[in-house]
mmCIF file of all heavy atoms in Angstrom:
data_model
loop_
_atom_site.group_PDB
_atom_site.id
_atom_site.type_symbol
_atom_site.label_atom_id
_atom_site.label_comp_id
_atom_site.label_asym_id
_atom_site.label_seq_id
_atom_site.Cartn_x
_atom_site.Cartn_y
_atom_site.Cartn_z
ATOM 1 N N PRO A 1 11.643 -17.304 -26.207
ATOM 2 C CA PRO A 1 12.002 -15.971 -26.693
ATOM 3 C C PRO A 1 11.720 -14.845 -25.700
ATOM 4 O O PRO A 1 12.278 -13.772 -25.778
ATOM 5 C CB PRO A 1 11.183 -15.799 -27.970
ATOM 6 C CG PRO A 1 9.967 -16.681 -27.726
ATOM 7 C CD PRO A 1 10.479 -17.847 -26.961
ATOM 8 N N HIS A 2 10.798 -15.081 -24.743
ATOM 9 C CA HIS A 2 10.424 -14.043 -23.781
ATOM 10 C C HIS A 2 11.283 -14.151 -22.511
ATOM 11 O O HIS A 2 11.960 -15.138 -22.304
ATOM 12 C CB HIS A 2 8.951 -14.173 -23.429
ATOM 13 C CG HIS A 2 8.049 -14.075 -24.619
ATOM 14 N ND1 HIS A 2 7.641 -12.873 -25.176
ATOM 15 C CD2 HIS A 2 7.446 -15.056 -25.361
ATOM 16 C CE1 HIS A 2 6.872 -13.089 -26.205
ATOM 17 N NE2 HIS A 2 6.710 -14.386 -26.366
ATOM 18 N N ARG A 3 11.244 -13.083 -21.711
ATOM 19 C CA ARG A 3 12.012 -13.079 -20.494
ATOM 20 C C ARG A 3 11.100 -12.680 -19.321
ATOM 21 O O ARG A 3 10.420 -11.702 -19.352
ATOM 22 C CB ARG A 3 13.211 -12.117 -20.537
ATOM 23 C CG ARG A 3 14.138 -12.233 -19.346
ATOM 24 C CD ARG A 3 15.242 -11.206 -19.386
ATOM 25 N NE ARG A 3 16.098 -11.397 -20.555
ATOM 26 C CZ ARG A 3 17.143 -12.212 -20.601
ATOM 27 N NH1 ARG A 3 17.437 -12.971 -19.563
ATOM 28 N NH2 ARG A 3 17.838 -12.318 -21.739
ATOM 29 N N LEU A 4 11.153 -13.506 -18.281
ATOM 30 C CA LEU A 4 10.301 -13.345 -17.110
ATOM 31 C C LEU A 4 11.009 -12.551 -16.017
ATOM 32 O O LEU A 4 12.176 -12.792 -15.695
ATOM 33 C CB LEU A 4 9.942 -14.736 -16.535
ATOM 34 C CG LEU A 4 9.268 -14.841 -15.195
ATOM 35 C CD1 LEU A 4 7.885 -14.248 -15.248
ATOM 36 C CD2 LEU A 4 9.195 -16.293 -14.730
ATOM 37 N N ALA A 5 10.276 -11.583 -15.453
ATOM 38 C CA ALA A 5 10.730 -10.890 -14.223
ATOM 39 C C ALA A 5 10.018 -11.558 -13.035
ATOM 40 O O ALA A 5 8.803 -11.391 -12.881
ATOM 41 C CB ALA A 5 10.422 -9.388 -14.283
ATOM 42 N N LEU A 6 10.753 -12.272 -12.211
ATOM 43 C CA LEU A 6 10.159 -12.922 -11.058
ATOM 44 C C LEU A 6 10.220 -11.962 -9.911
ATOM 45 O O LEU A 6 11.274 -11.658 -9.351
ATOM 46 C CB LEU A 6 10.973 -14.204 -10.743
ATOM 47 C CG LEU A 6 10.313 -15.272 -9.851
ATOM 48 C CD1 LEU A 6 9.189 -15.953 -10.618
ATOM 49 C CD2 LEU A 6 11.310 -16.290 -9.393
ATOM 50 N N LEU A 7 9.069 -11.444 -9.505
ATOM 51 C CA LEU A 7 8.981 -10.379 -8.500
ATOM 52 C C LEU A 7 8.617 -10.986 -7.146
ATOM 53 O O LEU A 7 7.524 -11.578 -6.996
ATOM 54 C CB LEU A 7 7.942 -9.339 -8.906
ATOM 55 C CG LEU A 7 8.108 -8.724 -10.294
ATOM 56 C CD1 LEU A 7 7.033 -7.652 -10.531
ATOM 57 C CD2 LEU A 7 9.498 -8.109 -10.473
ATOM 58 N N VAL A 8 9.503 -10.887 -6.164
ATOM 59 C CA VAL A 8 9.358 -11.561 -4.901
ATOM 60 C C VAL A 8 9.315 -10.517 -3.748
ATOM 61 O O VAL A 8 10.349 -10.019 -3.328
ATOM 62 C CB VAL A 8 10.565 -12.521 -4.657
ATOM 63 C CG1 VAL A 8 10.285 -13.368 -3.409
ATOM 64 C CG2 VAL A 8 10.761 -13.412 -5.896
ATOM 65 N N PRO A 9 8.123 -10.172 -3.281
ATOM 66 C CA PRO A 9 8.016 -9.261 -2.118
ATOM 67 C C PRO A 9 8.670 -9.935 -0.898
ATOM 68 O O PRO A 9 8.468 -11.117 -0.630
ATOM 69 C CB PRO A 9 6.499 -9.083 -1.936
ATOM 70 C CG PRO A 9 5.910 -9.513 -3.251
ATOM 71 C CD PRO A 9 6.796 -10.560 -3.800
ATOM 72 N N PHE A 10 9.381 -9.124 -0.130
ATOM 73 C CA PHE A 10 10.254 -9.738 0.875
ATOM 74 C C PHE A 10 10.460 -8.763 2.090
ATOM 75 O O PHE A 10 10.587 -7.577 1.901
ATOM 76 C CB PHE A 10 11.594 -10.069 0.268
ATOM 77 C CG PHE A 10 12.608 -10.683 1.170
ATOM 78 C CD1 PHE A 10 12.542 -12.028 1.505
ATOM 79 C CD2 PHE A 10 13.622 -9.925 1.758
ATOM 80 C CE1 PHE A 10 13.476 -12.587 2.380
ATOM 81 C CE2 PHE A 10 14.539 -10.452 2.640
ATOM 82 C CZ PHE A 10 14.452 -11.818 2.945
ATOM 83 N N ARG A 11 10.538 -9.419 3.260
ATOM 84 C CA ARG A 11 10.973 -8.705 4.443
ATOM 85 C C ARG A 11 11.394 -9.754 5.488
ATOM 86 O O ARG A 11 10.573 -10.505 5.978
ATOM 87 C CB ARG A 11 9.872 -7.779 5.000
ATOM 88 C CG ARG A 11 10.360 -7.041 6.286
ATOM 89 C CD ARG A 11 9.237 -6.169 6.868
ATOM 90 N NE ARG A 11 9.455 -4.775 6.539
ATOM 91 C CZ ARG A 11 8.626 -3.802 6.872
ATOM 92 N NH1 ARG A 11 7.517 -4.095 7.565
ATOM 93 N NH2 ARG A 11 8.883 -2.565 6.542
ATOM 94 N N GLU A 12 12.665 -9.777 5.827
ATOM 95 C CA GLU A 12 13.203 -10.525 6.973
ATOM 96 C C GLU A 12 12.813 -12.020 6.944
ATOM 97 O O GLU A 12 12.535 -12.624 7.969
ATOM 98 C CB GLU A 12 12.746 -9.903 8.278
ATOM 99 C CG GLU A 12 13.240 -8.489 8.445
ATOM 100 C CD GLU A 12 12.668 -7.833 9.699
ATOM 101 O OE1 GLU A 12 11.751 -8.454 10.351
ATOM 102 O OE2 GLU A 12 13.131 -6.740 10.073
ATOM 103 N N ARG A 13 12.872 -12.647 5.785
ATOM 104 C CA ARG A 13 12.597 -14.084 5.705
ATOM 105 C C ARG A 13 13.759 -14.800 5.027
ATOM 106 O O ARG A 13 13.604 -15.445 3.978
ATOM 107 C CB ARG A 13 11.259 -14.318 4.977
ATOM 108 C CG ARG A 13 10.092 -13.653 5.692
ATOM 109 C CD ARG A 13 8.790 -13.635 4.907
ATOM 110 N NE ARG A 13 8.176 -14.941 4.838
ATOM 111 C CZ ARG A 13 6.924 -15.115 4.421
ATOM 112 N NH1 ARG A 13 6.185 -14.111 4.057
ATOM 113 N NH2 ARG A 13 6.401 -16.315 4.364
ATOM 114 N N PHE A 14 14.911 -14.624 5.619
ATOM 115 C CA PHE A 14 16.147 -15.017 4.931
ATOM 116 C C PHE A 14 16.286 -16.507 4.751
ATOM 117 O O PHE A 14 16.816 -16.964 3.757
ATOM 118 C CB PHE A 14 17.337 -14.429 5.684
ATOM 119 C CG PHE A 14 17.406 -12.931 5.678
ATOM 120 C CD1 PHE A 14 16.969 -12.201 6.791
ATOM 121 C CD2 PHE A 14 17.828 -12.239 4.577
ATOM 122 C CE1 PHE A 14 16.998 -10.823 6.788
ATOM 123 C CE2 PHE A 14 17.875 -10.861 4.566
ATOM 124 C CZ PHE A 14 17.454 -10.128 5.637
ATOM 125 N N GLU A 15 15.786 -17.284 5.712
ATOM 126 C CA GLU A 15 15.913 -18.702 5.564
ATOM 127 C C GLU A 15 15.080 -19.219 4.402
ATOM 128 O O GLU A 15 15.469 -20.169 3.678
ATOM 129 C CB GLU A 15 15.511 -19.452 6.891
ATOM 130 C CG GLU A 15 14.046 -19.344 7.283
ATOM 131 C CD GLU A 15 13.672 -18.030 7.936
ATOM 132 O OE1 GLU A 15 14.540 -17.151 8.114
ATOM 133 O OE2 GLU A 15 12.462 -17.843 8.210
ATOM 134 N N GLU A 16 13.940 -18.560 4.134
ATOM 135 C CA GLU A 16 13.127 -18.927 2.998
ATOM 136 C C GLU A 16 13.777 -18.462 1.701
ATOM 137 O O GLU A 16 13.766 -19.158 0.679
ATOM 138 C CB GLU A 16 11.721 -18.338 3.139
ATOM 139 C CG GLU A 16 10.959 -18.951 4.309
ATOM 140 C CD GLU A 16 9.692 -18.157 4.647
ATOM 141 O OE1 GLU A 16 9.365 -17.216 3.920
ATOM 142 O OE2 GLU A 16 9.052 -18.478 5.680
ATOM 143 N N LEU A 17 14.380 -17.295 1.734
ATOM 144 C CA LEU A 17 15.053 -16.773 0.565
ATOM 145 C C LEU A 17 16.236 -17.680 0.135
ATOM 146 O O LEU A 17 16.420 -17.899 -1.060
ATOM 147 C CB LEU A 17 15.579 -15.331 0.871
ATOM 148 C CG LEU A 17 16.250 -14.606 -0.284
ATOM 149 C CD1 LEU A 17 15.193 -14.260 -1.357
ATOM 150 C CD2 LEU A 17 16.922 -13.325 0.203
ATOM 151 N N LEU A 18 16.991 -18.192 1.079
ATOM 152 C CA LEU A 18 18.144 -19.022 0.766
ATOM 153 C C LEU A 18 17.674 -20.312 0.053
ATOM 154 O O LEU A 18 18.432 -20.866 -0.751
ATOM 155 C CB LEU A 18 18.907 -19.393 2.034
ATOM 156 C CG LEU A 18 19.652 -18.202 2.722
ATOM 157 C CD1 LEU A 18 20.247 -18.669 4.013
ATOM 158 C CD2 LEU A 18 20.710 -17.626 1.791
ATOM 159 N N ALA A 19 16.500 -20.766 0.339
ATOM 160 C CA ALA A 19 15.955 -21.948 -0.358
ATOM 161 C C ALA A 19 15.322 -21.575 -1.659
ATOM 162 O O ALA A 19 15.446 -22.278 -2.672
ATOM 163 C CB ALA A 19 14.943 -22.675 0.550
ATOM 164 N N PHE A 20 14.645 -20.418 -1.710
ATOM 165 C CA PHE A 20 13.854 -20.028 -2.878
ATOM 166 C C PHE A 20 14.679 -19.698 -4.088
ATOM 167 O O PHE A 20 14.400 -20.207 -5.198
ATOM 168 C CB PHE A 20 12.975 -18.785 -2.517
ATOM 169 C CG PHE A 20 12.149 -18.266 -3.614
ATOM 170 C CD1 PHE A 20 10.876 -18.789 -3.825
ATOM 171 C CD2 PHE A 20 12.601 -17.258 -4.464
ATOM 172 C CE1 PHE A 20 10.082 -18.299 -4.855
ATOM 173 C CE2 PHE A 20 11.825 -16.796 -5.504
ATOM 174 C CZ PHE A 20 10.573 -17.317 -5.689
ATOM 175 N N VAL A 21 15.683 -18.861 -3.954
ATOM 176 C CA VAL A 21 16.435 -18.374 -5.136
ATOM 177 C C VAL A 21 17.110 -19.511 -5.923
ATOM 178 O O VAL A 21 16.877 -19.619 -7.143
ATOM 179 C CB VAL A 21 17.445 -17.264 -4.743
ATOM 180 C CG1 VAL A 21 18.330 -16.885 -5.933
ATOM 181 C CG2 VAL A 21 16.688 -16.027 -4.229
ATOM 182 N N PRO A 22 17.912 -20.355 -5.269
ATOM 183 C CA PRO A 22 18.530 -21.418 -6.100
ATOM 184 C C PRO A 22 17.492 -22.419 -6.632
ATOM 185 O O PRO A 22 17.658 -22.903 -7.766
ATOM 186 C CB PRO A 22 19.508 -22.094 -5.126
ATOM 187 C CG PRO A 22 19.122 -21.651 -3.769
ATOM 188 C CD PRO A 22 18.444 -20.361 -3.905
ATOM 189 N N TYR A 23 16.426 -22.684 -5.855
ATOM 190 C CA TYR A 23 15.438 -23.642 -6.354
ATOM 191 C C TYR A 23 14.720 -23.099 -7.590
ATOM 192 O O TYR A 23 14.587 -23.804 -8.607
ATOM 193 C CB TYR A 23 14.401 -23.906 -5.271
ATOM 194 C CG TYR A 23 13.374 -24.938 -5.657
ATOM 195 C CD1 TYR A 23 13.576 -26.308 -5.399
ATOM 196 C CD2 TYR A 23 12.207 -24.564 -6.301
ATOM 197 C CE1 TYR A 23 12.654 -27.274 -5.793
ATOM 198 C CE2 TYR A 23 11.244 -25.518 -6.697
ATOM 199 C CZ TYR A 23 11.489 -26.845 -6.459
ATOM 200 O OH TYR A 23 10.561 -27.788 -6.843
ATOM 201 N N MET A 24 14.259 -21.848 -7.550
ATOM 202 C CA MET A 24 13.543 -21.282 -8.692
ATOM 203 C C MET A 24 14.442 -21.084 -9.903
ATOM 204 O O MET A 24 13.999 -21.265 -11.041
ATOM 205 C CB MET A 24 12.890 -19.957 -8.297
ATOM 206 C CG MET A 24 11.705 -20.114 -7.385
ATOM 207 S SD MET A 24 10.437 -21.288 -7.964
ATOM 208 C CE MET A 24 10.015 -20.592 -9.560
ATOM 209 N N HIS A 25 15.715 -20.745 -9.681
ATOM 210 C CA HIS A 25 16.642 -20.594 -10.814
ATOM 211 C C HIS A 25 16.778 -21.937 -11.508
ATOM 212 O O HIS A 25 16.761 -22.022 -12.740
ATOM 213 C CB HIS A 25 17.977 -20.081 -10.309
ATOM 214 C CG HIS A 25 19.015 -19.933 -11.382
ATOM 215 N ND1 HIS A 25 18.878 -19.066 -12.411
ATOM 216 C CD2 HIS A 25 20.161 -20.602 -11.577
ATOM 217 C CE1 HIS A 25 19.917 -19.177 -13.243
ATOM 218 N NE2 HIS A 25 20.727 -20.086 -12.728
ATOM 219 N N ARG A 26 16.968 -23.017 -10.740
ATOM 220 C CA ARG A 26 17.092 -24.351 -11.353
ATOM 221 C C ARG A 26 15.797 -24.775 -12.057
ATOM 222 O O ARG A 26 15.800 -25.299 -13.186
ATOM 223 C CB ARG A 26 17.482 -25.388 -10.299
ATOM 224 C CG ARG A 26 18.878 -25.304 -9.802
ATOM 225 C CD ARG A 26 19.263 -26.571 -9.009
ATOM 226 N NE ARG A 26 18.350 -26.815 -7.906
ATOM 227 C CZ ARG A 26 18.541 -26.345 -6.661
ATOM 228 N NH1 ARG A 26 19.591 -25.594 -6.387
ATOM 229 N NH2 ARG A 26 17.687 -26.631 -5.709
ATOM 230 N N PHE A 27 14.660 -24.499 -11.397
ATOM 231 C CA PHE A 27 13.365 -24.898 -11.951
ATOM 232 C C PHE A 27 13.093 -24.209 -13.284
ATOM 233 O O PHE A 27 12.694 -24.881 -14.272
ATOM 234 C CB PHE A 27 12.255 -24.534 -10.957
ATOM 235 C CG PHE A 27 10.876 -24.980 -11.310
ATOM 236 C CD1 PHE A 27 10.436 -26.262 -10.989
ATOM 237 C CD2 PHE A 27 10.012 -24.120 -12.005
ATOM 238 C CE1 PHE A 27 9.139 -26.660 -11.333
ATOM 239 C CE2 PHE A 27 8.727 -24.520 -12.337
ATOM 240 C CZ PHE A 27 8.282 -25.782 -12.001
ATOM 241 N N LEU A 28 13.318 -22.892 -13.350
ATOM 242 C CA LEU A 28 13.032 -22.160 -14.576
ATOM 243 C C LEU A 28 14.076 -22.457 -15.659
ATOM 244 O O LEU A 28 13.744 -22.536 -16.836
ATOM 245 C CB LEU A 28 13.004 -20.685 -14.262
ATOM 246 C CG LEU A 28 11.858 -20.199 -13.362
ATOM 247 C CD1 LEU A 28 12.038 -18.764 -12.967
ATOM 248 C CD2 LEU A 28 10.510 -20.418 -14.059
ATOM 249 N N SER A 29 15.334 -22.672 -15.257
ATOM 250 C CA SER A 29 16.375 -22.997 -16.257
ATOM 251 C C SER A 29 16.111 -24.341 -16.894
ATOM 252 O O SER A 29 16.329 -24.526 -18.071
ATOM 253 C CB SER A 29 17.753 -22.980 -15.587
ATOM 254 O OG SER A 29 18.063 -21.684 -15.111
ATOM 255 N N LYS A 30 15.659 -25.287 -16.083
ATOM 256 C CA LYS A 30 15.310 -26.624 -16.646
ATOM 257 C C LYS A 30 14.189 -26.501 -17.651
ATOM 258 O O LYS A 30 14.170 -27.260 -18.653
ATOM 259 C CB LYS A 30 14.918 -27.558 -15.484
ATOM 260 C CG LYS A 30 14.690 -28.984 -15.900
ATOM 261 C CD LYS A 30 14.386 -29.867 -14.721
ATOM 262 C CE LYS A 30 14.152 -31.319 -15.150
ATOM 263 N NZ LYS A 30 13.836 -32.199 -14.006
ATOM 264 N N LYS A 31 13.291 -25.562 -17.431
ATOM 265 C CA LYS A 31 12.175 -25.378 -18.427
ATOM 266 C C LYS A 31 12.589 -24.418 -19.545
ATOM 267 O O LYS A 31 11.779 -24.082 -20.379
ATOM 268 C CB LYS A 31 10.989 -24.814 -17.669
ATOM 269 C CG LYS A 31 10.423 -25.769 -16.619
ATOM 270 C CD LYS A 31 9.293 -25.140 -15.785
ATOM 271 C CE LYS A 31 8.026 -25.076 -16.532
ATOM 272 N NZ LYS A 31 7.460 -26.395 -16.859
ATOM 273 N N LYS A 32 13.838 -23.949 -19.523
ATOM 274 C CA LYS A 32 14.396 -23.012 -20.526
ATOM 275 C C LYS A 32 13.584 -21.725 -20.581
ATOM 276 O O LYS A 32 13.263 -21.204 -21.673
ATOM 277 C CB LYS A 32 14.488 -23.712 -21.892
ATOM 278 C CG LYS A 32 15.440 -24.884 -21.900
ATOM 279 C CD LYS A 32 15.739 -25.393 -23.279
ATOM 280 C CE LYS A 32 16.801 -26.494 -23.257
ATOM 281 N NZ LYS A 32 17.116 -27.015 -24.580
ATOM 282 N N ILE A 33 13.244 -21.249 -19.411
ATOM 283 C CA ILE A 33 12.571 -19.932 -19.275
ATOM 284 C C ILE A 33 13.626 -18.882 -18.975
ATOM 285 O O ILE A 33 14.276 -18.961 -17.921
ATOM 286 C CB ILE A 33 11.536 -19.964 -18.135
ATOM 287 C CG1 ILE A 33 10.452 -21.058 -18.403
ATOM 288 C CG2 ILE A 33 10.855 -18.592 -17.979
ATOM 289 C CD1 ILE A 33 9.501 -20.769 -19.534
ATOM 290 N N ARG A 34 13.823 -17.945 -19.887
ATOM 291 C CA ARG A 34 14.736 -16.806 -19.561
ATOM 292 C C ARG A 34 14.130 -16.025 -18.422
ATOM 293 O O ARG A 34 12.912 -15.704 -18.453
ATOM 294 C CB ARG A 34 14.913 -15.939 -20.775
ATOM 295 C CG ARG A 34 15.381 -16.659 -22.035
ATOM 296 C CD ARG A 34 15.373 -15.710 -23.217
ATOM 297 N NE ARG A 34 15.332 -16.417 -24.451
ATOM 298 C CZ ARG A 34 16.388 -16.744 -25.198
ATOM 299 N NH1 ARG A 34 17.585 -16.338 -24.767
ATOM 300 N NH2 ARG A 34 16.273 -17.385 -26.342
ATOM 301 N N HIS A 35 14.904 -15.655 -17.433
ATOM 302 C CA HIS A 35 14.320 -15.017 -16.245
ATOM 303 C C HIS A 35 15.321 -14.144 -15.526
ATOM 304 O O HIS A 35 16.558 -14.358 -15.660
ATOM 305 C CB HIS A 35 13.777 -16.100 -15.298
ATOM 306 C CG HIS A 35 14.851 -17.020 -14.782
ATOM 307 N ND1 HIS A 35 15.253 -18.131 -15.485
ATOM 308 C CD2 HIS A 35 15.544 -17.023 -13.625
ATOM 309 C CE1 HIS A 35 16.221 -18.756 -14.809
ATOM 310 N NE2 HIS A 35 16.404 -18.111 -13.651
ATOM 311 N N ARG A 36 14.808 -13.247 -14.748
ATOM 312 C CA ARG A 36 15.559 -12.487 -13.749
ATOM 313 C C ARG A 36 14.752 -12.524 -12.460
ATOM 314 O O ARG A 36 13.547 -12.310 -12.466
ATOM 315 C CB ARG A 36 15.795 -11.043 -14.210
ATOM 316 C CG ARG A 36 16.667 -10.922 -15.434
ATOM 317 C CD ARG A 36 16.904 -9.461 -15.773
ATOM 318 N NE ARG A 36 17.641 -8.762 -14.708
ATOM 319 C CZ ARG A 36 17.808 -7.439 -14.619
ATOM 320 N NH1 ARG A 36 17.308 -6.703 -15.548
ATOM 321 N NH2 ARG A 36 18.495 -6.916 -13.646
ATOM 322 N N ILE A 37 15.441 -12.770 -11.325
ATOM 323 C CA ILE A 37 14.796 -12.811 -10.041
ATOM 324 C C ILE A 37 15.045 -11.516 -9.299
ATOM 325 O O ILE A 37 16.212 -11.127 -9.066
ATOM 326 C CB ILE A 37 15.311 -14.018 -9.209
ATOM 327 C CG1 ILE A 37 15.020 -15.333 -9.959
ATOM 328 C CG2 ILE A 37 14.680 -14.054 -7.814
ATOM 329 C CD1 ILE A 37 15.615 -16.545 -9.282
ATOM 330 N N PHE A 38 13.958 -10.850 -8.911
ATOM 331 C CA PHE A 38 14.087 -9.576 -8.188
ATOM 332 C C PHE A 38 13.516 -9.777 -6.763
ATOM 333 O O PHE A 38 12.362 -10.146 -6.587
ATOM 334 C CB PHE A 38 13.270 -8.470 -8.863
ATOM 335 C CG PHE A 38 13.815 -8.053 -10.203
ATOM 336 C CD1 PHE A 38 13.398 -8.657 -11.392
ATOM 337 C CD2 PHE A 38 14.743 -7.040 -10.276
ATOM 338 C CE1 PHE A 38 13.885 -8.271 -12.603
ATOM 339 C CE2 PHE A 38 15.266 -6.641 -11.512
ATOM 340 C CZ PHE A 38 14.837 -7.266 -12.671
ATOM 341 N N ILE A 39 14.375 -9.574 -5.791
ATOM 342 C CA ILE A 39 13.982 -9.639 -4.359
ATOM 343 C C ILE A 39 13.618 -8.212 -3.949
ATOM 344 O O ILE A 39 14.464 -7.320 -3.941
ATOM 345 C CB ILE A 39 15.099 -10.185 -3.480
ATOM 346 C CG1 ILE A 39 15.612 -11.547 -4.045
ATOM 347 C CG2 ILE A 39 14.618 -10.330 -2.039
ATOM 348 C CD1 ILE A 39 14.562 -12.590 -4.180
ATOM 349 N N LEU A 40 12.345 -8.002 -3.657
ATOM 350 C CA LEU A 40 11.823 -6.639 -3.385
ATOM 351 C C LEU A 40 11.779 -6.477 -1.852
ATOM 352 O O LEU A 40 10.772 -6.797 -1.219
ATOM 353 C CB LEU A 40 10.427 -6.507 -4.008
ATOM 354 C CG LEU A 40 10.339 -6.911 -5.492
ATOM 355 C CD1 LEU A 40 8.913 -6.901 -5.961
ATOM 356 C CD2 LEU A 40 11.256 -6.099 -6.367
ATOM 357 N N ASN A 41 12.893 -6.012 -1.319
ATOM 358 C CA ASN A 41 13.080 -5.976 0.141
ATOM 359 C C ASN A 41 12.609 -4.651 0.746
ATOM 360 O O ASN A 41 13.251 -3.617 0.464
ATOM 361 C CB ASN A 41 14.573 -6.198 0.425
ATOM 362 C CG ASN A 41 14.911 -6.314 1.900
ATOM 363 O OD1 ASN A 41 14.019 -6.755 2.699
ATOM 364 N ND2 ASN A 41 16.057 -5.881 2.306
ATOM 365 N N GLN A 42 11.555 -4.668 1.513
ATOM 366 C CA GLN A 42 11.015 -3.453 2.115
ATOM 367 C C GLN A 42 11.859 -3.128 3.381
ATOM 368 O O GLN A 42 11.856 -3.904 4.336
ATOM 369 C CB GLN A 42 9.565 -3.655 2.490
ATOM 370 C CG GLN A 42 8.896 -2.375 3.034
ATOM 371 C CD GLN A 42 7.417 -2.539 3.309
ATOM 372 O OE1 GLN A 42 6.762 -3.459 2.731
ATOM 373 N NE2 GLN A 42 6.824 -1.694 4.095
ATOM 374 N N VAL A 43 12.526 -1.952 3.375
ATOM 375 C CA VAL A 43 13.437 -1.623 4.445
ATOM 376 C C VAL A 43 12.960 -0.375 5.227
ATOM 377 O O VAL A 43 13.700 0.110 6.074
ATOM 378 C CB VAL A 43 14.861 -1.401 3.920
ATOM 379 C CG1 VAL A 43 15.450 -2.671 3.345
ATOM 380 C CG2 VAL A 43 14.894 -0.284 2.846
ATOM 381 N N ASP A 44 11.797 0.128 4.939
ATOM 382 C CA ASP A 44 11.250 1.294 5.697
ATOM 383 C C ASP A 44 10.657 0.793 7.023
ATOM 384 O O ASP A 44 10.744 -0.401 7.375
ATOM 385 C CB ASP A 44 10.227 2.033 4.883
ATOM 386 C CG ASP A 44 9.128 1.120 4.370
ATOM 387 O OD1 ASP A 44 8.347 0.629 5.198
ATOM 388 O OD2 ASP A 44 9.051 0.862 3.164
ATOM 389 N N HIS A 45 10.027 1.697 7.791
ATOM 390 C CA HIS A 45 9.456 1.359 9.061
ATOM 391 C C HIS A 45 7.943 1.215 9.041
ATOM 392 O O HIS A 45 7.296 1.202 10.105
ATOM 393 C CB HIS A 45 9.898 2.402 10.117
ATOM 394 C CG HIS A 45 11.365 2.458 10.314
ATOM 395 N ND1 HIS A 45 12.084 1.405 10.857
ATOM 396 C CD2 HIS A 45 12.304 3.434 9.999
ATOM 397 C CE1 HIS A 45 13.359 1.750 10.907
ATOM 398 N NE2 HIS A 45 13.527 2.920 10.366
ATOM 399 N N PHE A 46 7.384 1.197 7.854
ATOM 400 C CA PHE A 46 5.923 1.012 7.720
ATOM 401 C C PHE A 46 5.569 -0.481 7.744
ATOM 402 O O PHE A 46 6.488 -1.357 7.652
ATOM 403 C CB PHE A 46 5.399 1.644 6.475
ATOM 404 C CG PHE A 46 5.578 3.157 6.398
ATOM 405 C CD1 PHE A 46 6.428 3.717 5.514
ATOM 406 C CD2 PHE A 46 4.892 3.975 7.312
ATOM 407 C CE1 PHE A 46 6.573 5.120 5.484
ATOM 408 C CE2 PHE A 46 5.044 5.359 7.295
ATOM 409 C CZ PHE A 46 5.899 5.921 6.352
ATOM 410 N N ARG A 47 4.303 -0.788 7.863
ATOM 411 C CA ARG A 47 3.844 -2.167 7.793
ATOM 412 C C ARG A 47 4.100 -2.705 6.385
ATOM 413 O O ARG A 47 4.209 -1.967 5.392
ATOM 414 C CB ARG A 47 2.367 -2.235 8.138
ATOM 415 C CG ARG A 47 2.065 -1.786 9.560
ATOM 416 C CD ARG A 47 0.565 -1.684 9.818
ATOM 417 N NE ARG A 47 -0.066 -3.014 9.865
ATOM 418 C CZ ARG A 47 -1.397 -3.192 9.854
ATOM 419 N NH1 ARG A 47 -2.203 -2.125 9.769
ATOM 420 N NH2 ARG A 47 -1.901 -4.392 9.923
#
């Protein structure tokens, strides 16, 4: 009945992202966890 917000801090790690998103979507769907995946992409010039 609950819905998970999957919060993923991110910067310039695209090869990992391409593996992560489909894998986690399948993993959580198989467990019947309602979810939304948020990629939190830092695009400023700070650390």
Side-chain angles (χ1 to χ4, degrees):
H2 301 278
R3 188 184 298 275
L4 169 67
L6 199 72
L7 306 182
V8 187
F10 179 80
R11 180 183 258 178
E12 298 176 351
R13 298 169 75 166
F14 295 101
E15 67 282 357
E16 294 168 7
L17 184 68
L18 292 176
F20 179 88
V21 172
Y23 183 91
M24 288 307 303
H25 178 64
R26 289 193 303 269
F27 184 87
L28 294 172
S29 297
K30 186 176 180 180
K31 297 174 76 65
K32 296 190 175 182
I33 302 289
R34 305 173 201 264
H35 62 276
R36 294 183 63 190
I37 300 175
F38 293 91
I39 308 302
L40 312 173
N41 184 30
Q42 185 175 340
V43 295
D44 54 68
H45 298 293
F46 297 113
R47 298 171 71 191

